[in-house]
Amino acid sequence: MGFMNDRPTMTIDQPTNGGAGRPGAGRPGAGHLGTDHLGAGPQGAGRPAAGAPAADDPASDSLAADSPAAELAARLPEWAAELGFGAIGVADIDLSDAEPGLLAWLHAGHHGEMDYMARHGLRRARPAELVPGTVSAIMVAIDYAPADPQWVEQAWATLAAPERAYVSRYALGRDYHKVVRARLARLADRIGAHLGPFGHRVFCDSAPVLEVELARRAGLGWRGKHTLLLDRRRGSTFFLGTLYTDLRLPLSTPADDHCGRCTRCIDACPTAAIIAPYRLDARRCISYLTIELKGAIPEALRPAIGNRIYGCDDCQLACPWNKFAQVQATPDFAARERLDAASLAELFAWTPQQFDERLAGSPIRRIGHERWLRNIAVALGNVGGSGAHADAETGAESAITRARAALLTRRDDPSPLVREHVEWALQRLLASS
């Protein structure tokens, strides 16, 4: 797999990791489980740069202020803004200081059943092995926060309403993989029109790439204690995109850490998945449990999932930096099919055909109808955990009764996975009533 000139070639998608959360995931950036939760500390060694290479860089002579590379770097922010990217920077690809953290994270089994992470191993930290000829990584961020300025408060309100479904804010709209890659391809076209053909490939949570670490080195933010990237100007509600290139460009300055002694993200995690600052055990993360995990969700963790049916945002909602979150850069990320307001019961009633049709072009569709039902069954079982009952406007029937009625419609589902989770949920409701 190498470069192709003029147009980027795409990798076959690996499953989206959730996220940051991450998003992050790639979470993310955002509330989906990203592929870069290594627990290696807030920052790697990085390479100091202030829009120019370090003094001892052998390429310094070719990166003079009036060089084509320097001229291109000066144009990148303008082109990025025109394409809807909120930030752009350039990182060196020497990630050798991130390798010990990656290996330790994998050795501890914190990647769970995401076998592809272990399979790719150190290739994730060696861009030139993934794409021979790579010497620089152009990193971009694109914002996805909901347009309503009260979106954080509304998210908390949904989480407190046990009959409503909570979907991670990053997944409410169109699949970010496609949106970001398409815009990165257009950025590559602009670069090609300016310089002529050059080697490049574009990625967005779709290949073994240490996106968060590269973005940190590219000056797009610092790694928060929840392992997501944070930017003082936009919080953590943004997606990351990567453009590997054979162009040697002036490097951006890595951002300083601004988390201080704050531990709100750690304290907010419903399943205690953030086992230490900058260290995530994916096996406990709700984004992993509802997206990546293909089998049964561990019973001990089901109650803590609450009404979260796809991903989790709690660590981001609790983060004070997200008061600076920027509104989604494109209508593509706006909520579809009432996913920000739907009830568990109505989503649980979707047929396989309705699931495929209504979530066409959504990142949610990749988990399939079976796991969709699995997740909602757990959430329905948790309805009684909050002791919520119907108010005067919804009639006398209790929330528990409505949840039980919905679950009974799937008690004989063809899927053993669904049936098992339905039975667990029914027993939990019985114990709650």
Side-chain angles (χ1 to χ4, degrees):
M1 180 174 74
F3 290 124
M4 291 187 65
N5 288 331
D6 295 328
R7 296 293 300 177
T9 55
M10 303 299 181
T11 61
I12 299 175
D13 273 1
Q14 295 172 355
T16 304
N17 298 330
R22 292 166 172 270
R27 256 190 112 44
H32 69 291
L33 181 67
T35 58
D36 195 358
H37 297 256
L38 310 182
Q43 302 190 49
R47 283 191 56 183
D56 59 351
D57 191 319
S60 294
D61 292 343
S62 65
L63 295 178
D66 59 350
S67 71
E71 180 188 358
L72 171 64
R75 301 291 298 275
L76 287 177
E78 175 188 352
W79 295 342
E82 291 173 356
L83 292 168
F85 294 120
I88 189 168
V90 179
D92 186 18
I93 63 164
D94 180 3
L95 303 177
S96 56
D97 59 327
E99 293 183 3
L102 170 59
L103 291 175
W105 191 77
L106 292 170
H107 182 72
H110 290 158
H111 60 298
E113 294 183 7
M114 295 183 288
D115 295 336
Y116 58 86
M117 299 194 72
R119 186 167 61 250
H120 290 127
L122 290 178
R123 199 178 195 193
R124 188 175 300 276
R126 299 174 180 178
E129 289 188 10
L130 179 67
V131 183
T134 300
V135 296
S136 302
I138 299 173
M139 303 300 300
V140 297
I142 186 168
D143 300 300
Y144 71 80
D148 192 318
Q150 301 299 313
W151 71 272
V152 172
E153 291 77 10
Q154 290 184 359
W156 284 126
T158 298
L159 289 167
E163 292 188 84
R164 289 179 61 187
Y166 189 86
V167 173
S168 184
R169 305 296 90 168
Y170 86 88
L172 294 174
R174 187 172 175 229
D175 190 340
Y176 66 94
H177 300 86
K178 299 175 182 178
V179 175
V180 177
R181 283 202 307 250
R183 293 179 183 229
L184 273 174
R186 289 162 60 190
L187 177 63
D189 288 343
R190 295 289 294 272
I191 296 172
H194 182 76
L195 287 182
F198 71 105
H200 60 278
R201 289 181 72 90
V202 301
F203 307 98
C204 177
D205 200 15
S206 57
V209 175
L210 286 182
E211 292 167 318
V212 175
E213 179 59 20
L214 285 168
R216 185 195 69 77
R217 294 169 186 242
L220 271 57
W222 73 94
R223 187 190 295 273
K225 293 176 182 175
H226 47 21
T227 75
L228 303 174
L229 199 72
L230 282 167
D231 183 345
R232 296 172 69 178
R233 301 162 298 176
R234 55 183 27 86
S236 61
T237 55
F238 52 87
F239 300 116
L240 295 174
T242 305
L243 192 157
Y244 280 173
T245 177
D246 61 358
L247 300 175
R248 191 176 298 276
L249 300 170
L251 305 178
S252 303
T253 304
D256 294 330
D257 187 307
H258 293 282
C259 285
R261 287 183 278 182
C262 179
T263 59
R264 293 186 193 181
C265 59
I266 298 173
D267 299 337
C269 182
T271 56
I274 308 172
I275 57 177
Y278 315 105
R279 187 175 295 275
L280 178 83
D281 186 344
R283 297 168 297 184
R284 300 187 61 86
C285 180
I286 292 175
S287 288
Y288 169 83
L289 296 171
T290 58
I291 300 172
E292 295 299 332
L293 185 65
K294 295 179 173 60
I297 295 173
E299 288 192 22
L301 297 175
R302 294 179 193 180
I305 289 175
N307 60 348
R308 301 166 186 83
I309 66 168
Y310 189 93
C312 179
D313 293 326
D314 288 37
C315 63
Q316 296 191 90
L317 298 176
C319 179
W321 286 108
N322 273 327
K323 65 184 177 183
F324 300 113
Q326 298 295 307
V327 173
Q328 54 203 216
T330 167
D332 286 327
F333 299 145
R336 305 164 66 185
E337 298 296 333
R338 298 184 60 252
L339 288 176
D340 59 343
S343 71
L344 294 169
E346 66 180 283
L347 298 181
F348 199 57
W350 283 6
T351 66
Q353 181 178 1
Q354 289 171 327
F355 174 86
D356 287 339
E357 291 175 351
R358 294 173 182 178
L359 295 180
S362 163
I364 301 173
R365 191 170 182 266
R366 59 171 288 269
I367 71 171
H369 187 244
E370 181 183 44
R371 279 190 276 166
W372 173 255
L373 295 180
R374 176 201 64 181
N375 296 347
I376 300 175
V378 170
L380 285 166
N382 289 330
V383 164
S386 300
H389 293 278
D391 58 25
E393 294 183 0
T394 58
E397 186 181 27
S398 72
I400 291 177
T401 301
R402 288 191 296 274
R404 184 174 184 276
L407 287 163
L408 288 173
T409 66
R410 300 282 184 184
R411 197 170 199 174
D412 297 321
D413 192 90
S415 164
L417 181 68
V418 174
R419 292 200 305 271
E420 187 273 315
H421 286 73
V422 166
E423 285 301 322
W424 174 88
L426 288 169
Q427 291 302 312
R428 179 163 166 78
L429 288 178
L430 181 62
S432 302
S433 59

